[in-house]
Amino acid sequence: MTWSTRELAELAGTTVKAVRHYHQVGLLEEPERLANGYKQYTAQHLVQLLQIRRLVDLGMPLARIAQVRAEGDDPGRALEMVESEVMATIERLQRVHAELAEFRRSGGSVDLPPEFGAGANELSPGDRALLLVLSRVLTKTAMDEIRQMVNSGLSAAERELSWLPADADTATKVRLAADIAAVLRERGDRYDWVGNPRLQASDRAESTVVKAVSEFYNLAQLEVLYRAHLLVTGQAYGDRLPAVLTG
């Protein structure tokens, strides 16, 4: 008994398109044809197709199936690799599930790691973008301290700086810089990551952070930060932002 392509596909629980694709990639042998050009699939073709479908269902890529068949390898060894990939996928999905549960519990910002919690909702888009950059160049220890700082609540000065408009007047910037300088001193006493190069995970951390800050913050915010830095370090303000901040 022989079958048409449609009949073979139905028997194997797949589609005509899939059968034709397996022919194209060399997985399924081409059958003989009748005088009218119609294909004649045999039981051997059905077995081959069922074997292919079985390996596909187990997650083996078609290219690997072709390699196994061409080289006469043991499919079991190839499936061991597939199993390792499946386990890695399961672990990733479990982490994602845990993060989603934490987002629901904490009410945190979805564009930040869930451990930042609801405290991150006070941050401006620029602040959240900066935190994402910091997570790539600072160590876990440093990021844990930043998380503690954010979740403990921002100071009034930090909230004002976070949303400071670009057209803020000089008096506001001078006053806010003094307030931020006081915050920086307090943060420096409490958190090791502030100014501690040992907690940088990347050799390019400092330049990366400077670049990010210069892009995510407006000129008024940059001036306040620069003035605050000078106050903390005991330097005088020279009426001009460094070129590294202004680009």
Side-chain angles (χ1 to χ4, degrees):
M1 176 180 288
T2 59
W3 300 286
S4 68
T5 305
R6 179 184 57 78
E7 291 170 333
L8 180 75
E10 290 177 353
L11 283 169
T14 188
T15 65
V16 170
K17 182 178 180 180
V19 172
R20 290 172 177 165
H21 181 64
Y22 297 151
H23 284 315
Q24 291 173 355
V25 297
L27 284 179
L28 184 62
E29 294 178 3
E30 290 279 356
E32 294 182 0
R33 293 177 182 267
L34 297 173
N36 59 10
Y38 287 114
K39 294 177 181 178
Q40 300 181 90
Y41 290 96
T42 65
Q44 184 59 41
H45 291 103
L46 177 60
V47 169
Q48 289 180 8
L49 182 56
L50 290 173
Q51 290 173 338
I52 294 168
R53 294 301 307 164
R54 177 59 176 160
L55 294 176
V56 168
D57 290 343
L58 289 173
M60 187 179 294
L62 293 183
R64 186 69 178 117
I65 296 175
Q67 182 180 357
V68 168
R69 293 171 64 87
E71 299 178 2
D73 289 346
D74 178 9
R77 289 185 298 188
L79 288 174
E80 288 179 2
M81 296 177 60
V82 173
E83 182 180 13
S84 298
E85 295 171 358
V86 168
M87 293 305 299
T89 300
I90 290 173
E91 291 177 5
R92 181 182 63 80
L93 292 176
Q94 288 175 334
R95 290 196 299 272
V96 170
H97 181 263
E99 286 197 9
L100 291 173
E102 181 62 21
F103 276 127
R104 291 194 298 271
R105 184 195 66 77
S106 67
S109 175
V110 296
D111 56 354
L112 289 177
E115 58 266 24
F116 276 90
N121 293 330
E122 296 184 41
L123 302 177
S124 69
D127 288 332
R128 292 197 294 271
L130 179 60
L131 281 180
L132 283 175
V133 173
L134 290 178
S135 70
R136 301 303 304 166
V137 297
L138 298 183
T139 65
K140 182 180 183 302
T141 299
M143 290 306 298
D144 284 344
E145 291 193 348
I146 293 175
R147 172 186 54 79
Q148 295 169 13
M149 183 183 72
V150 170
N151 289 345
S152 65
L154 300 179
S155 67
E158 288 170 313
R159 287 194 295 272
E160 183 178 359
L161 175 63
S162 184
W163 299 96
L164 186 70
D167 60 355
D169 58 54
T170 299
T172 297
K173 291 184 285 189
V174 171
R175 171 189 56 78
L176 186 54
D179 293 340
I180 292 296
V183 172
L184 290 176
R185 294 188 186 98
E186 187 270 338
R187 299 295 193 199
D189 291 338
R190 291 180 56 189
Y191 299 106
D192 290 338
W193 72 271
V194 180
N196 188 341
R198 291 186 298 104
L199 295 178
Q200 297 178 355
S202 167
D203 293 337
R204 297 180 297 175
E206 183 175 353
S207 62
T208 300
V209 172
V210 169
K211 180 174 177 58
V213 169
S214 67
E215 290 188 16
F216 299 147
Y217 291 175
N218 61 46
L219 287 178
Q221 292 170 310
L222 293 176
E223 182 178 338
V224 168
L225 288 173
Y226 182 55
R227 285 178 179 272
H229 167 73
L230 295 180
L231 288 172
V232 171
T233 57
Q235 303 176 61
Y237 181 68
D239 289 332
R240 180 177 298 179
L241 290 175
V244 68
L245 291 178
T246 61

